[in-house]
Structure formats: structure tokens, C-alpha cells
Amino acid sequence: MPDVKERTMIPEAEVFLLADQAAMHVLTRIPGERLDTLLPPVFDMPGADRPTPLREVVAHLAYDEAWIPDLLAGRSMDEVGKDAYDGDLLGDDPAGNLTRLGEAARAAARTVTDREAPVHCSYGVCATWDYFWQLNVARTLTAHDVAAHLGLGSPLSEELSRRMYDGSVPLAPRWREIGVFREPVPVAGDASWRTRYLALTGRRA
């Protein structure tokens, strides 16, 4: 038997797998004729506090996904080339290309075993767990809001919602201060985990 215990994927990466799949479930199913419709702001932070065409929302997520394998491997944007993923990543097959990028991002996430490893983001260096949580919040709220915009049911499962709620509670004041979360919504004591998580972010289920 090996002397060193086998290292496992960090919890935040496990949540990412669920959050990313929820986002993919919605964003790869947007009808072509709806891609030009405007999604109300998902966040209230500067730069994101405006209605955005759905194609732009999908393109932004694709850009995010493209960087994940490099950043989780410890590479900086300067090392890779800051313009490495500029341009149209969606092409004539938005769903197919986004699916491909998502598969690569989730494969990279499955290899992460160090919560504190540095990730060189565009704004500076953060711990891997923090980077994942930014990804998780963006994916769950975007997925929910796009689904609501399209008249679909929320793709957030109870397992995903519970883990998002538990992980977000200690970070909520910080997220609220910068405009990622809105003012919390009151919920009943027996509310579902999805309702609780969305209420924490300022949304009603």
C-alpha cells in the first residue's frame, strides 16, 4: 500500500462540475432565434449591470471556459498569451463549441487536489478554491436567469443548490458589497435548497 493517502478532487471543484453542467444544459439549448434577445443584468457590478444579448452571454462563458485548463495548471495569462482566446469561439455551432470547451474545463477541474494553489486571474492571484467559487456563482446564476428568461424551469438541482448555499453563506457579505449578490429575499423555514440559495443571492425561485 502507498504511504501517502491518495489525494482527491477538492470540494469546490466537485461543485464546479455540477454548476458547469447546469450552465451547459441551458446555454447549449438556446434557440437560434433567441440569441439576439436581451437578458436582464445577472449582476449589479460595474460592467455587468446592463441588459446583454444572449449570444454575448454565451460567448463570455465560452471565453471563461477556454481559460480554465490553463489557469488551473498554474499558467498566467501572460505566459499563455492574453489574446489566446480572443475572437469568436462560438462560430457557426455555438452549442457544439461551448460543449467542447466545457468538457475540457471539467476535465481540468477533476485533476485539482490543492485548494490553496495560486490561480493567476486577470485581476491578480487568488487561491484555487476562491477561483472555483467565482466560477460556480457565475454559472449557477447565469443558468438560472437564462432559463427564466426563456421560460424554462431552473436547472439548479437540490444537491447543487445545497452546496452553493452552504459555500456562499460565509462569502455573501463580500459578494453583496461588490454587486454579485443582491439584497437577500426572506424565505420560509421549510424552503427548498434552491429557494434558499436563490434568496441568498436576491432572487425568488
Side-chain angles (χ1 to χ4, degrees), residues 14-86:
E14 294 175 351
V15 179
F16 172 76
L17 299 183
L18 299 174
D20 200 61
Q21 288 169 335
M24 293 293 161
H25 179 79
V26 175
L27 298 187
T28 59
R29 288 168 171 78
I30 301 173
E33 66 274 12
R34 299 294 301 274
L35 284 171
D36 291 330
T37 62
L38 294 177
L39 179 71
V42 176
F43 307 117
D44 295 335
M45 58 196 303
D49 53 350
R50 60 179 177 80
T52 306
L54 280 180
R55 185 179 179 91
E56 188 175 322
V57 173
V58 178
H60 178 77
L61 190 82
Y63 179 80
D64 225 21
E65 298 281 300
W67 273 108
I68 289 172
D70 288 313
L71 297 183
L72 290 180
R75 291 185 283 271
S76 70
M77 290 183 167
D78 285 332
E79 289 175 307
V80 178
K82 288 187 176 180
D83 59 353
Y85 302 111
D86 288 355

Side-chain angles (χ1 to χ4, degrees), residues 134-152:
Q134 296 172 52
L135 298 176
N136 295 342
V137 168
R139 275 144 188 76
T140 52
L141 296 187
T142 298
H144 174 81
D145 286 8
V146 171
H149 178 72
L150 297 175
L152 305 174

Side-chain angles (χ1 to χ4, degrees), residues 181-194:
F181 285 1
R182 296 164 183 150
E183 287 303 308
V185 175
V187 296
D190 60 351
S192 68
W193 287 111
R194 178 190 296 154

Side-chain angles (χ1 to χ4, degrees), residues 61-129:
L61 190 82
Y63 179 80
D64 225 21
E65 298 281 300
W67 273 108
I68 289 172
D70 288 313
L71 297 183
L72 290 180
R75 291 185 283 271
S76 70
M77 290 183 167
D78 285 332
E79 289 175 307
V80 178
K82 288 187 176 180
D83 59 353
Y85 302 111
D86 288 355
D88 184 8
L89 298 177
L90 300 179
D92 295 330
D93 183 16
N97 287 320
L98 183 59
T99 296
R100 175 180 56 80
L101 292 167
E103 289 171 348
R106 293 192 299 278
R110 291 185 180 95
T111 70
V112 178
T113 58
D114 184 354
R115 294 182 77 240
E116 300 299 333
V119 176
H120 300 268
C121 299
S122 59
Y123 58 84
V125 180
C126 68
T128 296
W129 72 263

